[in-house]
Amino acid sequence: MPPVGEAPRIVLLPGDGIGPEIVAAARQLLEALGEFKFEERLMGGCSIDAHGVALTDEVLAACKKADAVLLGAVGGPRWDTTDPDAPRPEQGLLGLRKGMGLYANLRPVRPSPALVGASPLRPERIAGTDLLVVRELTGGIYFGASGRQGDTAHDTCEYSVAEIERIARAGFEAARRRAEHGAGRKGRVTSVDKANVLETSRLWREVVTSLAGEYPDVELDHLLVDNAAMQLVSRPAEFDVIVTENLFGDILSDESAMLTGSLGMLPSASLGEAGAPGLFEPVHGSAPDIAGKGIANPLATFLSAAMMLRHGLGRPAEADRIEAAVDRALQAGLRTPDLAGEGERSVGTDEMTEAVLVEL
Ligand code: NAD
């Protein structure tokens, strides 16, 4: 968090594909809101091209010194390879998460009222959905020992009590905050694991349960991951906060994202210890199929900037302004091609940005 009265220092990592287009649009929006000090850096495929690695030490150091980091997206066919030794754009993301100590990934899923029709679910099923997926980000199978011996490969899943405790607390506290802001609803955490099979999951369940006493105002229930995947499509409106480990969270947060039918609308925040800078980015990827065409939907990045203002910079009023402006632009009927229904008129990135700026 910047000292009071000082312009926040924001590192922008536009990345690859549509990343530079949507981050430029978000920069315009932030500039219209107030004073920020921006520093633009390379990360992802563009950094591989320039420096041979997806994330340089210098860029990581700049991110750690900033008040917040806003990322576009990384990757694309240009850097796709099955060579295990070749640098890959995603290594930049993993390096940032690890290097900045970002252990909690927050993904809100609340379909904008104007877009309920875009959901692959029937309107009565999706109506009222307002959930938050809290995913552990720096442990588990993505960071365990892996390797190959002959024709066999292995990836190891490990979790410590301390790792589980801090992410469980992030979940309980998010549920508490949401209940305080929501209309009289009691907060609920659904912890997702595979405790019938995995030892890490049994430890997970034990530790999450042991913390519940500290949060008497929050209900806790447990679901096996396969069941959670089903419940998310059969009764999404009944979830509040879902807390889960890295691999399950990766999959369930994408499933939750698709509940809205609008990948171009979903923001995310990755947070570490209190006071350390967070990383804010849209959920979608670099959309190489539409890069450079001027039709990328910038709204997920705008909503990520709103999460940055709220969770990273302590400026909730401005976050509210962005979210309200996005809702109004949608209510006014503006749609980028990914949101437009058949026969509906669509606008490009610039026109959508302009509309949101007017609504600010
Ligand atoms: P993607 O999210 O980039 O695209 C999926 C589909 O959604 C595409 O048709 C795309 O055109 C569309 N889309 C996505 N965002 C959009 C937007 N803002 N506006 C309009 N349409 C949008 O996923 P993918 O195609 O699986 O991956 C493409 C590349 O992005 C890959 O290299 C992948 O590794 C990478 N990726 C990066 C991130 C990240 O940086 N966090 C996340 C996911 C994928």
Side-chain angles (χ1 to χ4, degrees):
M1 205 95 70
V4 178
E6 269 187 36
R9 290 157 309 143
I10 298 173
V11 169
L12 298 174
L13 302 173
D16 310 312
I18 60 169
E21 302 166 47
I22 53 181
V23 168
R27 179 174 182 157
Q28 257 182 285
L29 188 73
L30 288 166
E31 279 169 344
L33 268 182
E35 214 188 303
F36 298 91
K37 283 189 201 139
F38 293 109
E39 188 182 332
E40 216 167 291
R41 298 300 197 118
L42 295 181
M43 200 277 285
C46 54
S47 173
I48 293 178
D49 290 349
H51 306 294
V53 289
L55 174 67
T56 62
D57 294 344
E58 199 198 342
V59 171
L60 175 59
C63 292
K64 286 163 82 167
K65 268 201 314 216
D67 293 311
V69 180
L70 184 66
L71 166 73
V74 299
R78 181 182 160 84
W79 302 281
D80 280 349
T81 166
T82 50
D83 173 0
D85 298 322
R88 282 171 293 111
E90 306 77 50
Q91 287 166 338
L93 274 180
L94 296 182
L96 266 185
R97 288 174 187 163
K98 201 77 180 173
M100 293 174 69
L102 305 172
Y103 62 82
N105 181 243
L106 275 56
R107 281 205 202 175
V109 178
R110 184 177 43 188
S112 163
L115 296 178
V116 162
S119 170
L121 299 185
R122 288 198 298 274
E124 66 272 22
R125 211 158 256 201
I126 189 72
T129 297
D130 177 2
L131 61 87
L132 175 72
V133 181
V134 177
R135 164 189 168 196
E136 202 289 325
L137 214 50
T138 51
I141 200 163
Y142 292 178
F143 290 95
S146 65
R148 291 197 192 189
Q149 293 88 25
D151 61 357
T152 306
H154 70 276
D155 301 278
T156 314
C157 183
E158 256 183 307
Y159 269 109
S160 69
V161 169
E163 282 175 310
I164 301 169
E165 259 184 27
R166 63 183 186 177
I167 190 71
R169 283 189 195 286
F172 280 117
E173 271 152 33
R176 179 174 275 175
R177 269 199 311 276
R178 284 162 58 87
E180 282 165 6
H181 294 296
R185 184 182 62 172
K186 192 169 179 185
R188 191 170 73 248
V189 164
T190 301
S191 171
V192 172
D193 59 36
K194 188 74 182 167
N196 54 343
V197 179
L198 301 175
E199 199 51 42
T200 40
S201 277
R202 284 190 278 271
L203 180 66
W204 180 279
R205 195 174 281 217
E206 221 173 275
V207 173
V208 174
T209 305
S210 74
L211 290 180
E214 293 178 38
Y215 301 90
D217 49 325
V218 178
E219 288 170 24
L220 169 67
D221 53 25
H222 302 272
L223 273 187
L224 295 175
V225 62
D226 40 350
N227 190 7
M230 291 194 289
Q231 305 284 339
L232 266 171
V233 285
S234 62
R235 48 170 200 100
E238 284 171 44
F239 284 99
D240 181 8
V241 173
I242 295 174
V243 182
T244 191
E245 59 100 91
N246 204 345
L247 169 65
F248 299 158
D250 193 3
I251 298 166
L252 292 183
S253 54
D254 269 13
E255 186 190 0
S256 316
M258 279 322 292
L259 294 177
T260 65
S262 323
L263 191 55
M265 292 297 304
L266 296 158
S268 81
S270 302
L271 307 174
E273 299 302 338
L279 173 71
F280 303 86
E281 56 177 318
V283 164
H284 61 73
S286 59
D289 51 334
I290 58 163
K293 295 187 178 162
I295 56 168
N297 180 353
L299 297 181
T301 315
F302 293 174
L303 296 173
S304 302
M307 286 189 92
M308 176 175 83
L309 289 162
R310 181 177 293 118
H311 297 281
L313 301 175
R315 295 163 68 146
E318 285 159 312
D320 290 346
R321 274 180 70 194
I322 292 184
E323 287 163 358
V326 165
D327 270 345
R328 281 197 295 271
L330 289 169
Q331 269 152 21
L334 276 100
R335 302 282 186 271
T336 42
D338 57 307
L339 300 177
E342 236 176 78
E344 234 177 340
R345 187 183 99 83
S346 63
V347 300
T349 313
D350 288 346
E351 204 176 326
M352 183 59 104
T353 304
E354 198 48 48
V356 175
L357 281 170
V358 167
E359 297 294 350
L360 265 189

